[in-house]
Amino acid sequence: MTPSTETFKSNARAALADAKLAKALAGLPGGLVAQRTAAKGRVPEFEALRNTARDIRDHTLAHLDLYLEAFAQKAEAAGSRVHWAETAEEARAIIARLCQERGARLVTKGKSMVSEEIALNRHLEDLGITAVETDLGEYLLQIRGETPSHIIAPAIHLSQDQVEADFRVHHNHLAPDRVLTTAESLVAEARAVLRERFLAADIGITGANFLVAETGSAIIVTNEGNGDLSAHLPKTHIVLAAIDKVVPTLADAATLLRVLARSATGQDMTAYTSLLTGPKAPGDPDGPAECHIVILDNGRSEMLKNGLGEALRCIRCGACLNHCPIYNAIGGHAYGWVYSGPIGAVLSPAFLGIDAAQDLPSASTFCGKCEEVCPVKIPITRLLRGWREKSLETGKRRHERWLLGAWAFFARRPRLYHLATRFAVATLSVLGRPRGAFKRLPLAGGWTARRDFPAPQGRTFQQLWAEHQRGVPR
Amino acid sequence: MSRETILARIRSALPAAAGRTDERPRAVAQRLADPPHHPRPAFASLTGEARHARLIAALETQGTDVIEVASLGDVPAAVATLLGRSQPTPPRLVIGDDARLAGLSWEKTSLTARPEQWDASAPLEDGDAALTHAWGAVAETGTLVLLSGAASPASLTFLPEFHLVALARESIVSSFEEAFQRIAESRVDQRFPRAVNLVSGPSRTGDIGGRIVKGAHGPRRLGVILYG
């Protein structure tokens, strides 16, 4: 997808004015947030699990090269083919070649944020290969030509009415007078339409939640079962996963699974968690004849180098989005790229460059709720602060640096500071006396756009304090 | 080679990888050979009746139908009961190629259609029911463990409308760690089957208006017959 991170401010403004979006987002606190709280409440040891999960991720990242090598070796021993891709282009080329070599015309896809990251569908489509998204939310986005607005609930911005309207347009081979007034009827229709696709697909492409070095397995977690149907039915299964998905052992995966679903949807366990190891074995009645695993870097090793390793702990549960006051107000699309919410504000500048995403690190009140709920304790506000500093050093936000420099000049010279504030306050006090407040003030447009700025009463706080100390009655 | 470039980049990003030390490879080899024992919730270490109760409660919370019977021979009657509760009644019951299920007698049940052996070349129709035998179940979250292969092909776990699972009481384990370890131990060279499917409830989605609807792509209903 083409990023629109550069125009975050206007994206956010448009999102705030969108009544439909506001209505769709209003359910978040009562839904996913409340369910996570309940799920956590059922596990007295949750805090210990989070600490362990964090330590597992840190240990893995500190030995990432070795675990990736171990994973690749085990996966190949199990009969999978492992491919390595430095960039999005390389990953797209590898997958396209695998599809073309097999004469594939139809591909079913499990939900994969990495595939969104590398814009795989468009590339396949350009080559004449039909790629069908099968996660219901992703399917809705595909027929609407939209991108995900949430990591785990990609179509959270859509209402049931919108889905009905889209199905009537897109599924025009079905009876026009059919009844589609319930969520159940819409799900049943999508199930029937996509079932045909699953059975006809030449290749299935999925992401992976984890790659297990101990066994060479990919772990796929879904509630719908679409990842499994994509993985089990077609003759070829391609797993696309980034380097940060590796975990050492199944014991480590067990701990991460205990915090993943609880943090994401508040389920104790997602409906389907599948441990896939190699292709169909002799004697197996079903399963793919070939299994390919594409391991993608796409800038993650750079993140590791540039002090952003902690962001690579992320297991994509989406809890930081659900709990973020900014995300709750503007939704995911305003963030302008694949990953939204607090973690998106950390990741997008790393993938796209800070110049292209300079306002994203400011999309936070620093309330810290994201860190409080993160199952692997990513220090999101610290990472965002780091990006804020970088964005002030470069590019279009340099003027803010000059303004801060000017303020610092006065702040370091108390006498000059007092003199200047005394002058400013006295001037504003005289100018504002007739109305008692200002409707407009230079350099304070952000304030006066929404409310009046009260006129000062004539003396600065420092002066009032000095009088108070001398015992002057007010 | 992209492989070498990626690994070299990662190494250059890790200060500890700079020196000529064999400490890191040793730490990795050690962890892989002897996986860590991480702290787990108390409910993942239950035994006996408490473990059994946890399993049943967790299955029911997910919306899975559970029937407990005394022995394997009672499974057909329980299957008939579960299918009878389903509206409309599934037209076909397909079973996996499992010795335990093959030996069952269906004559005395109220089922009109006899179970059919699954034929891999003929896909299930929407509306069909399938019966497979689980490898076991994890009590901590009420998770069924199904191994791909002739006895419980992945197709029968995901394609039917109604999935029925026979589960032996003795095969219940407390935790995921225990399940993974036991599966590895039971296999030649500890090699895992192509798919270990951990199933926790029927297929579901929340993608339309945030409401949970069952039967997104996989089974709309899940039934467990616990015997022994």
Side-chain angles (χ1 to χ4, degrees):
Chain A
M1 68 185 274
T2 316
S4 65
T5 46
E6 225 158 333
T7 53
F8 172 71
K9 280 187 183 170
S10 55
N11 302 350
R13 220 170 287 134
L16 285 171
D18 185 338
K20 268 189 191 161
L21 178 66
K23 207 177 154 202
L25 291 170
L28 266 178
L32 294 171
V33 168
Q35 285 158 23
R36 176 196 168 272
T37 307
K40 176 175 172 276
R42 295 192 293 269
V43 188
E45 303 87 346
F46 202 73
E47 195 54 25
L49 290 180
R50 285 176 73 213
N51 288 332
T52 309
R54 174 201 58 206
D55 295 347
I56 289 169
R57 299 299 284 145
D58 282 350
H59 167 85
T60 314
L61 290 166
H63 302 84
L64 187 59
D65 51 331
L66 299 164
Y67 281 121
L68 282 170
E69 283 181 301
F71 169 78
Q73 197 204 336
K74 281 286 183 180
E76 301 226 318
S80 297
R81 273 289 318 278
V82 177
H83 309 260
W84 302 75
E86 277 177 66
T87 60
E89 295 81 54
E90 204 179 340
R92 288 196 296 259
I94 291 169
I95 294 172
R97 184 171 45 75
L98 290 172
C99 292
Q100 286 176 323
E101 282 171 1
R102 283 151 193 79
R105 313 291 309 163
L106 178 64
V107 170
T108 50
K109 288 185 67 209
K111 180 173 147 40
S112 155
M113 292 304 281
V114 176
S115 116
E116 296 278 356
E117 181 186 316
I118 69 166
L120 179 63
N121 291 5
R122 230 178 90 192
H123 185 69
L124 293 179
E125 231 103 289
D126 288 346
L127 298 170
I129 300 162
T130 307
V132 181
E133 293 290 347
T134 62
D135 170 82
L136 193 45
E138 289 279 348
Y139 177 68
L140 295 173
L141 300 181
Q142 191 177 33
I143 64 181
R144 293 174 64 88
E146 289 184 357
T147 54
S149 71
H150 192 286
I151 293 177
I152 62 153
I156 199 160
H157 57 285
L158 296 179
S159 69
Q160 189 181 314
D161 299 348
Q162 285 170 295
V163 177
E164 180 183 346
D166 290 332
F167 277 13
R168 290 203 183 277
V169 173
H170 196 74
H171 299 160
N172 51 15
H173 60 292
L174 299 173
D177 59 348
R178 66 197 190 278
V179 179
L180 287 176
T181 46
T182 60
E184 283 76 7
S185 58
L186 292 163
V187 171
E189 178 162 315
R191 175 190 173 101
V193 168
L194 288 168
R195 179 61 64 100
E196 288 173 25
R197 302 297 208 155
F198 282 125
L199 294 171
D202 305 300
I203 293 185
I205 301 178
T206 68
N209 292 79
F210 305 108
L211 301 173
V212 186
E214 182 187 11
T215 55
S217 318
I219 294 184
I220 298 175
V221 176
T222 76
N223 263 318
E224 298 183 1
N226 64 307
D228 284 279
L229 288 168
S230 298
H232 299 305
L233 297 183
K235 278 203 181 84
T236 305
H237 177 208
I238 302 174
V239 177
L240 169 65
I243 54 172
D244 52 327
K245 289 291 161 199
V246 73
V247 296
T249 66
L250 287 169
D252 297 305
T255 293
L256 293 169
L257 287 170
R258 284 193 185 105
V259 294
L260 176 58
R262 291 182 171 101
S263 301
T265 57
Q267 288 167 280
D268 291 341
M269 191 75 178
T270 310
Y272 300 113
T273 300
S274 299
L275 181 71
L276 305 174
T277 316
K280 178 175 170 171
D284 278 355
D286 60 0
E290 294 178 79
C291 179
H292 296 267
I293 301 166
V294 182
I295 298 178
L296 173 73
D297 183 342
N298 203 24
R300 286 168 174 81
S301 55
E302 282 297 303
M303 290 175 65
L304 207 52
K305 189 178 243 167
N306 298 337
L308 289 162
E310 286 153 318
L312 296 176
R313 286 180 195 159
C314 179
I315 55 173
R316 306 283 188 264
C317 70
C320 62
L321 281 64
N322 304 337
H323 290 78
C324 176
I326 307 288
Y327 180 92
N328 270 266
I330 63 174
H333 284 154
Y335 289 82
W337 201 52
V338 178
Y339 303 105
S340 57
I343 192 64
V346 173
L347 293 175
S348 294
F351 283 112
L352 306 169
I354 185 64
D355 280 347
Q358 51 176 340
D359 289 324
L360 280 188
S362 300
S364 169
T365 62
F366 278 6
C367 73
K369 195 70 192 172
C370 49
E371 304 180 357
E372 209 180 300
V373 299
C374 176
V376 287
K377 298 197 165 180
I378 300 172
I380 292 176
T381 55
R382 176 153 58 71
L383 297 174
L384 285 175
R385 201 172 295 125
W387 279 128
R388 283 189 188 182
E389 282 167 15
K390 280 220 171 62
S391 81
L392 287 176
E393 283 161 14
T394 59
K396 297 165 200 156
R397 291 188 63 189
R398 251 175 314 187
H399 67 280
E400 290 180 34
R401 178 112 277 190
W402 298 334
L403 283 176
L404 282 174
W407 179 81
F409 175 83
F410 284 97
R412 281 200 302 264
R413 293 165 179 81
R415 275 200 205 158
L416 192 59
Y417 186 90
H418 289 155
L419 196 67
T421 49
R422 213 179 284 189
F423 172 73
V425 164
T427 311
L428 287 175
S429 158
V430 172
L431 290 176
R433 199 159 293 152
R435 279 195 70 243
F438 293 92
K439 279 199 155 172
R440 230 172 278 137
L441 261 187
L443 300 176
W447 176 288
T448 55
R450 297 188 188 281
R451 49 216 176 297
D452 286 353
F453 186 87
Q457 298 301 302
R459 278 166 300 172
T460 67
F461 171 77
Q462 298 280 356
Q463 287 173 302
L464 292 171
W465 180 252
E467 286 170 11
H468 173 76
Q469 292 293 79
R470 287 199 307 272
V472 178
R474 290 207 67 194
Chain B
M1 276 288 280
S2 296
R3 177 183 191 272
E4 299 318 317
T5 316
I6 293 170
L7 293 174
R9 272 208 205 127
I10 295 169
R11 274 191 282 271
S12 76
L14 300 170
R20 273 198 59 220
T21 161
D22 54 0
E23 208 172 294
R24 293 171 69 250
R26 209 184 306 133
V28 167
Q30 160 81 32
R31 190 166 181 124
L32 292 175
D34 185 15
H37 297 273
H38 293 308
R40 17 178 137 147
F43 60 63
S45 306
L46 302 175
T47 53
E49 274 311 308
R51 180 169 68 188
H52 182 83
R54 169 120 196 146
L55 175 77
I56 303 292
L59 284 169
E60 285 174 348
T61 305
Q62 303 152 3
T64 301
D65 274 331
V66 187
I67 292 189
E68 294 188 64
V69 295
S71 72
L72 181 62
D74 301 324
V75 168
V79 167
T81 306
L82 285 171
L83 289 180
R85 282 184 203 162
S86 182
Q87 284 305 327
T89 311
R92 285 205 305 164
L93 174 64
V94 177
I95 59 172
D97 184 9
D98 183 286
R100 291 159 293 191
L101 301 181
L104 295 175
S105 153
W106 298 87
E107 275 71 47
K108 285 183 198 148
T109 66
S110 56
L111 288 177
T112 44
R114 289 282 157 264
E116 299 166 31
Q117 195 76 36
W118 178 59
D119 172 6
S121 61
L124 293 183
E125 297 292 322
D126 213 14
D128 285 347
L131 170 66
T132 60
H133 201 293
W135 172 88
V138 180
E140 66 166 297
T141 49
T143 299
L144 300 167
V145 183
L146 296 136
L147 309 187
S148 66
S152 59
S155 299
L156 295 193
T157 301
F158 293 97
L159 285 174
E161 175 113 4
F162 192 175
H163 185 205
L164 297 148
V165 180
L167 173 68
R169 194 179 163 113
E170 65 196 19
S171 67
I172 300 168
V173 298
S174 316
S175 65
F176 289 102
E177 288 89 339
E178 203 181 332
F180 293 142
Q181 199 187 330
R182 283 227 222 154
I183 293 170
E185 284 166 6
S186 71
R187 309 282 299 182
V188 179
D189 297 337
Q190 303 220 336
R191 265 179 89 143
F192 273 70
R194 181 188 69 79
V196 176
N197 293 119
L198 305 171
V199 177
S200 313
S203 159
R204 46 190 262 159
T205 183
D207 279 341
I208 294 181
R211 266 202 44 227
I212 299 300
V213 176
K214 284 180 187 163
H217 289 298
R220 220 180 295 266
R221 293 189 59 197
L222 181 65
V224 170
I225 302 120
L226 180 57
Y227 70 86

